[in-house]
Amino acid sequence: MGEQGSSSSSCFAGFVVVLSLVLNASVLCNGGKTSNFVRKVEKTIDMPLDSDVFRVPPGYNAPQQVHITQGDRVGKGVIVSWVTQDEAGSNTVIYWSENTKQKKQAEGKVYTYKFYNYTSGYIHHCTIRNLEFNTKYYYVVGIGHTERTFWFTTPPEVGPDVPYTFGLIGDLGQSFDSNSTLTHYEMNPRKGQTLLFVGDLSYADNYPNHDNVRWDTWGRFVERSVAYQPWIWTVGNHEIDFAPEIGETKPFKPYTQRYHVPYRASESTAPFWYSIKRASAYIIVLSSYSAYGKYTPQYEWLKEEFPKVNRSETPWLIVLMHSPWYNSYNYHYMEGETMRVMYEPWFVKYKVDVVFAGHVHAYERSERVSNIAYNVINGLCSPVKDQSAPVYITIGDGGNLEGLATNMTEPQPPYSAYREASFGHAIFDIKNRTHAYYSWHRNQDGYAVDADSMWFFNRYWHPMDDSTTADA
Ligand SMILES: *[C@@H]1O[C@H](CO)[C@@H](O)[C@H](O)[C@H]1NC(C)=O
Ligand SMILES: *[C@@H]1O[C@H](CO)[C@@H](O)[C@H](O)[C@H]1NC(C)=O
Ligand SMILES: *[C@@H]1O[C@H](CO)[C@@H](O)[C@H](O)[C@H]1NC(C)=O
Ligand SMILES: *[C@@H]1O[C@H](CO)[C@@H](O)[C@H](O)[C@H]1NC(C)=O
Ligand SMILES: *[C@@H]1O[C@H](CO)[C@@H](O)[C@H](O)[C@H]1NC(C)=O
Ligand SMILES: [Fe+2]
């Protein structure tokens, strides 16, 4: 749980940060950087129900909470989802490409669910398939009642030198800060083409009885982005919605009803872990909250998954999960540790380029390190620099109502390259098979400002040291 920001605790945190910088500089020469950025007191409360961003679109049975995600293995499919409130209405999506203007249609399905005393609207999911690559499409939902038109652009065909730009947001929620994060993402001149979302969407579970009305408001809030570009979903702890005290014992119920993902296309047996190819990236999504021990479905799937990655086809290997493995904040400390012990040897063996996680409401970027030598008796249990290892990035700073994680472990561990407790988002901008430019953007800055950045060198095609700290 985060703490609510208050002026006294922020000042104190700022003092600790400055002090640690001095310590780092004078005592420890090999640590990374703890930012001394001084922020204003954050307004970490949820936007009220009558906020502009939650407005229901006008018209009888108008589709709301429209969102899209990749709908197949390679990006020629799109899952279109929306909610109608008055009646089920049509499950049809009408779509056409900017080039041909020839109208086609696809049929979806409609779902409803109950959660305690909440009954959902009519949740529609419709997969459009066999689209052309690299093409702008328009689509219409709400056929027969109130029609609404949106558009998206399909990715280029999967291939090794296809430039592509991914945005990164985690732990977004629906506070005033969440709105600022989303605005900064939309206004960033680097223009993310697809968003990788690392879990914790609505934070509805922070309300009495997990008031699922806050799932609906969140859906309306983010529509302005996710109706026009795919968001790739990862589950976080706030998607579990396990509440036996009110008779809700099926984990992930609201999330799985509302957010569909193309897990079957990657031979996964559950929507919580899956993979996609998109442009020059292979993206593996893992679940920190599903069993991952040996012999479990997720373990068996991941074991088969890594050998399938062909770096001549998709040079960039990206993993998304919610709970970070390398985290030097005093929040959720070591929660990712058991999964790290299970899977880290594979991440090193298969040379994952970067791992994005959320959960901790702050920002942190690691060095390339691994910690896989320990065998219970040899005592080799410290992270070591490892050029085959991924960079670990915590981007749980979307700005939800729980506030910032400001309390850091001191001194900053050597594996931590940069850390700062500010809200923001990041962009992973793939240039070609060897280079990607990564930048983190804090909400207090202008839209074009990089608060932290790094040139990634691909681990397969250009495995040179890309560390940013002086002694590396
Ligand atoms: C659900 O129950 C809570 C109290 O238990 C009440 O405040 C709320 O109005 C109810 N909501 C609906 C939709 O009935
Ligand atoms: C959210 O941000 C948008 C875009 O900046 C703005 O138009 C809107 O008024 C904001 N809403 C709230 C409740 O802050
Ligand atoms: C890997 O991808 C390349 C480029 O698409 C292709 O030529 C090669 O046959 C693939 N290798 C395997 C083992 O599938
Ligand atoms: C920071 O976290 C540590 C470890 O949990 C705790 O002992 C300490 O009191 C915390 N400091 C502040 C300022 O909250
Ligand atoms: C790949 O992109 C980087 C950065 O833009 C550039 O310096 C490099 O020359 C490119 N490589 C090729 C083969 O084009
Ligand atoms: Fe979380």
Side-chain angles (χ1 to χ4, degrees):
M1 295 285 123
E3 58 186 21
Q4 302 291 323
S6 71
S7 59
S8 60
S9 75
S10 302
C11 288
F12 182 67
F15 171 72
V16 171
V17 164
V18 170
L19 183 66
S20 77
L21 262 183
V22 172
L23 283 174
N24 270 348
S26 58
V27 187
L28 303 148
C29 328
N30 62 344
K33 185 178 175 206
T34 298
S35 171
N36 60 357
F37 179 78
V38 179
R39 70 196 68 75
K40 282 192 299 209
V41 178
E42 306 283 357
K43 194 178 177 186
T44 46
I45 56 165
D46 270 357
M47 295 180 281
L49 291 173
D50 61 359
S51 297
D52 51 2
V53 294
F54 298 150
R55 219 172 273 146
V56 175
Y60 178 75
N61 214 29
Q64 54 168 282
Q65 307 176 49
V66 179
H67 53 97
I68 63 171
T69 194
Q70 182 161 320
D72 69 350
R73 188 89 177 118
V74 295
K76 293 175 80 170
V78 171
I79 303 173
V80 178
S81 307
W82 70 99
V83 175
T84 51
Q85 276 300 347
D86 301 316
E87 57 175 289
S90 169
N91 294 324
T92 303
V93 176
I94 293 178
Y95 61 99
W96 62 93
S97 84
E98 189 179 44
N99 307 335
T100 67
K101 300 186 173 60
Q102 186 197 338
K103 290 195 176 169
K104 295 187 177 170
Q105 65 180 62
E107 273 305 299
K109 284 187 177 157
V110 64
Y111 306 77
T112 59
Y113 74 93
K114 289 186 193 301
F115 193 94
Y116 185 54
N117 64 354
Y118 168 93
T119 303
S120 74
Y122 301 92
I123 303 170
H124 306 256
H125 299 284
C126 176
T127 305
I128 310 175
R129 296 181 191 281
N130 300 315
L131 301 171
E132 298 294 323
F133 285 118
N134 215 4
T135 301
K136 183 172 181 182
Y137 283 87
Y138 293 87
Y139 69 97
V140 182
V141 288
I143 311 299
H145 292 137
T146 301
E147 295 186 355
R148 295 181 68 203
T149 304
F150 303 86
W151 57 88
F152 58 79
T153 302
T154 51
E157 186 169 4
V158 172
D161 290 302
V162 186
Y164 204 73
T165 307
F166 292 101
L168 287 139
I169 291 180
D171 304 71
L172 184 59
Q174 45 193 303
S175 75
F176 289 94
D177 292 306
S178 318
N179 197 30
S180 170
T181 302
L182 185 57
T183 302
H184 275 69
Y185 173 60
E186 294 174 297
M187 301 299 281
N188 191 323
R190 283 214 175 84
K191 291 214 171 299
Q193 295 170 284
T194 289
L195 187 98
L196 306 178
F197 193 93
V198 294
D200 283 0
L201 284 60
S202 74
Y203 288 75
D205 61 345
N206 278 6
Y207 285 82
N209 306 317
H210 297 218
D211 188 357
N212 276 221
V213 166
R214 282 286 176 174
W215 272 107
D216 292 312
T217 53
W218 194 80
R220 295 198 290 271
F221 159 48
V222 296
E223 181 191 271
R224 71 185 203 234
S225 172
V226 69
Y228 300 92
Q229 64 166 246
W231 286 26
I232 306 302
W233 302 109
T234 311
V235 284
N237 53 306
H238 287 278
E239 278 67 72
I240 303 174
D241 280 309
F242 175 68
E245 68 281 8
I246 51 172
E248 292 298 343
T249 54
K250 187 167 180 281
F252 304 110
K253 193 206 267 183
Y255 171 77
T256 49
Q257 295 289 329
R258 290 166 183 275
Y259 294 93
H260 281 194
V261 298
Y263 66 96
R264 288 191 191 89
S266 55
E267 274 106 57
S268 168
T269 50
F272 314 115
W273 57 89
Y274 64 101
S275 69
I276 58 167
K277 301 177 192 178
R278 198 166 179 89
S280 43
Y282 197 106
I283 297 161
I284 295 179
V285 178
L286 296 180
S287 170
S288 304
Y289 306 101
S290 305
Y292 45 76
K294 201 160 182 180
Y295 315 120
T296 63
Q298 183 167 209
Y299 180 99
E300 294 297 326
W301 176 81
L302 187 59
K303 186 175 66 161
E304 301 296 316
E305 183 66 10
F306 275 121
K308 289 183 193 165
V309 182
N310 178 350
R311 303 294 273 270
S312 297
E313 188 192 31
T314 49
W316 295 93
L317 180 51
I318 299 171
V319 179
L320 311 180
M321 62 180 67
H322 187 62
S323 188
W325 293 355
Y326 287 93
N327 157 35
S328 74
Y329 288 81
N330 279 321
Y331 296 82
H332 305 303
Y333 190 57
M334 290 181 77
E335 282 182 21
E337 192 65 3
T338 49
M339 191 195 230
R340 183 188 70 73
V341 170
M342 289 309 301
Y343 293 157
E344 191 180 18
W346 288 342
F347 281 43
V348 176
K349 177 178 178 192
Y350 292 101
K351 299 187 188 329
V352 171
D353 289 294
V354 58
V355 176
F356 293 106
H359 202 34
V360 178
H361 301 159
Y363 173 69
E364 184 163 27
R365 174 172 58 82
S366 81
E367 299 292 348
R368 294 193 183 279
V369 289
S370 69
N371 188 1
I372 55 178
Y374 185 55
N375 72 352
V376 181
I377 53 170
N378 64 8
L380 300 176
C381 52
S382 297
V384 292
K385 289 256 167 81
D386 186 339
Q387 288 301 315
S388 294
V391 170
Y392 294 89
I393 291 173
T394 302
I395 186 82
D397 58 341
N400 63 73
L401 79 169
E402 292 178 355
L404 277 171
T406 50
N407 185 342
M408 306 172 186
T409 64
E410 301 295 350
Q412 183 170 13
Y415 67 74
S416 171
Y418 185 96
R419 56 184 188 174
E420 180 178 326
S422 295
F423 293 132
H425 74 278
I427 300 274
F428 193 78
D429 184 357
I430 297 172
K431 303 291 188 190
N432 53 36
R433 73 179 70 190
T434 55
H435 287 66
Y437 185 75
Y438 165 80
S439 52
W440 173 65
H441 305 267
R442 70 164 85 81
N443 288 356
Q444 289 85 352
D445 294 336
Y447 300 127
V449 176
D450 299 350
D452 180 42
S453 65
M454 169 177 167
W455 273 104
F456 272 77
F457 299 158
N458 186 273
R459 287 304 93 187
Y460 183 85
W461 290 101
H462 191 54
M464 310 296 286
D465 192 337
D466 52 9
S467 172
T468 56
T469 42
D471 76 318

